[in-house]
Amino acid sequence: MLSQSRIVKRFTARKLKPLSLGMLLLTSLTVGATPFSPIPHEKSFELRVDPLNWWAGMQNPQLQLMVHGNKIASKKLSINGRDITLLGVETTDNPNYLFINLDLNQAKPQEFTIRFTDNDGSKQSLTYSLNERESWSAQRKGFSNKDAIYLITPDRFVNGDASNDNHPEMLELADRTDKDGRHGGDIKGIIDRLDYIEDLGVTQLWINPLTENNQQRYSYHGYSVTDHYRIDPRFGSNEAYRQLAYQAEKHGIGIIADVVVNHIGSNHWWMNDLPSHDWINKPLTANYPNDDIQFTTHRRTTVQDPYAVSSDIQKFTDGWFVDSMPDLNQRNPLLATYLIQNSIWWIEYANLSGIREDTYSYADKGFLVKWAKAIMDEYPDFNIVGEEWTANPVTVSYWQKDKQNQDGYQSELPSLMDFPLYETLIKALSKEEGWSEGLIRLYEFLANDVVYADPTQLVLFEGNHDTNRLYSLLGDNVALTKMALVYVLTSNRIPQLFYGTEILMQSPAKGRNDGAVRADMPGGWQDDAVSVFDNKGLSDDQASMLSFTRSLLNYRKQADFIHNGGLRHYVPQDGVYVQMRCAKQDCSDKARLMVVYNKNDKPVTLPLARYRDLLASAGSARDVISGETVALGKTLTLNGQGVTLLAIEETN
């Protein structure tokens, strides 16, 4: 008998739709399978089951187990469990896989036995655990506008345990001198620095994928998963991940998992014995990987274009990113269920508060509806943000829940990354002021919010692991960098920061520079000459930026009117742009925060009469950063290029 500990653990976080099988009410079943030729199946292997365990009392009571074993599909199946209904099984053209459909509606927490009997009477069995679910799990809260998200590339943040830098089962070795290699950051390192993260004012951690990426090279980023149910041992263990969520919760911090449903790594264990011939999009022949690969065109508008031809849509969705990332075919219902359950498993197991879904629109659009709906049905107050990397707000808006699309497509995705506003922010601060350049870009671009079902649910960021560093994009200008950070953190969006922005980390400003963008956090490795954690070796500008970021984040944490209130803004004039935040959406309560962006190099005297409709009779305000009282008379003096945040102390 194979115990549960012998099987690689996995987590899933999503509700499954009822299977189309009729209820068979069987306790045992014998099934056959059609031979599958591209990959040999004469190997003898132990049984593997995904997901590793499940929970009683889920909103969706149905569970599908994927069992992998030598000619497992031809064996007689029996299940010894209390109130567990076997709905039936499904097979593919690979006899080494069996998919078992169970109904757990009446089942209580228990361990039960799944037994497989061969024609010669030999038996294999495994013990499966149906765990007790936490009573609060379904009501868990996802990230929201009250949060500030901090993105970490775990291999580059903090090396808390040097002993796991390399692992005997993993192909790539650590080499900190290689900007594209593994450097040794891990889960323990994140846990060790939760005090710093809490003190900074962050309330959510988005961490680039932590699941196993056993690729020969360039494996540190995490986006080439080779086992959906295993944390990469160079980061730690499944239990370490769960401990991270537990410890983070003590600091008032939630964990957002980075999930990839579009593709896998070429060394995924499936690739040695594919579950079916259509598990991945072409090529899938005996000559893989020598056959030509169809790569994605990245033409993301094709899936919503009313004039697009089907071949162009297929080339976008079914094409591979690179030859080391086989593209998954989510139209296969067994794979679709696998991916859905995997997401739900991790939410439940690791107590997650959100998912960031990578390369969202590249997956099958029908599957994406089922995937997001299953998760949100299981966890109604949860949140998911999808990555749709385009500067076009119409393209982004197509994927948000409640958007009324002309083609009738109804998405279930609550949130998306606001790439259009991010790119506008960078351009607005980078370009000199003019009739159609500079701050006017930001002012006019917000009018595009009319295309979204709910623009306030978008995630706005100052940078991420795929974009060059903010400070570098803005010409190493501290004042402009602070302006960008304020814009992100006081907008009517969910804000996200990239690790190291708070100390002006740099990169080249043009082209893709992933290794440099995802550089090591100073102080994350023993004997680093510069350490943000120990306040050692920081320049004056870095120290100023760190203090500024900390003050701003902690102010935002208690500013409910930023989380849920209204926004009004005035047409920029002479290089000055003013936004107001109010407690009420219509701003009938007048302004609670005045944000003034000044791109001029010299001091500016700003007449305040224009803003009295929202300032009302307020005679003073408090500078959010310095804490000083500022008089609100006829004019306001702005001290050169920078941003001023004024908390209004008195309104009528």
Side-chain angles (χ1 to χ4, degrees), residues 34-41 93 95 286:
T34 304
F36 173 72
S37 59
I39 299 174
H41 306 298
D93 44 12

Side-chain angles (χ1 to χ4, degrees), residues 597-610:
Y597 301 94
N598 176 27
K599 282 183 68 180
N600 297 283
D601 292 331
K602 298 179 180 179
V604 171
T605 298
L606 182 69
L608 293 181
R610 183 186 180 203

Side-chain angles (χ1 to χ4, degrees), residues 90-244:
E90 295 181 64
T91 61
T92 70
D93 44 12
N94 184 341
N96 294 334
Y97 286 87
L98 184 65
F99 295 83
I100 305 172
N101 297 315
L102 303 176
D103 189 312
L104 308 175
N105 188 49
Q106 302 299 320
K108 304 298 182 184
Q110 60 186 283
E111 286 193 345
F112 61 93
T113 301
I114 304 174
R115 182 170 287 108
F116 304 91
T117 304
D118 213 336
N119 292 332
D120 61 6
S122 60
K123 293 180 171 59
Q124 287 178 286
S125 64
L126 57 88
T127 299
Y128 197 83
S129 292
L130 188 63
N131 295 341
E132 183 174 1
R133 192 185 191 194
E134 297 287 355
S135 59
W136 46 262
S137 181
Q139 286 75 49
R140 69 180 64 236
K141 302 295 182 183
F143 63 88
S144 68
N145 298 77
K146 69 179 177 60
D147 290 306
I149 302 170
Y150 190 68
L151 167 58
I152 288 173
T153 299
D155 181 66
R156 306 299 174 85
F157 190 61
V158 178
N159 189 346
D161 181 6
S163 70
N164 66 15
D165 289 358
N166 299 303
H167 191 277
E169 296 177 15
M170 300 294 107
L171 296 173
E172 187 175 12
L173 302 179
D175 181 3
R176 199 179 176 199
T177 65
D178 180 0
K179 65 180 178 59
D180 295 321
R182 299 194 75 97
H183 290 189
D186 50 33
I187 292 172
K188 186 178 185 303
I190 301 173
I191 293 174
D192 289 346
R193 295 305 181 182
L194 286 172
D195 285 340
Y196 168 82
I197 296 168
E198 179 185 13
D199 182 62
L200 190 63
V202 169
T203 58
Q204 296 283 343
L205 288 181
W206 159 24
I207 306 172
N208 289 150
L210 289 161
T211 44
E212 181 192 280
N213 269 237
N214 195 12
Q215 298 288 111
Q216 300 229 355
R217 59 181 300 275
Y218 203 57
S219 66
Y220 76 90
H221 54 70
Y223 289 97
S224 299
V225 61
T226 56
D227 191 324
H228 281 83
Y229 283 102
R230 185 188 190 190
I231 294 296
D232 194 295
R234 291 162 293 189
F235 289 141
S237 64
N238 289 4
E239 180 57 31
Y241 187 38
R242 180 153 55 178
Q243 282 300 310
L244 168 61

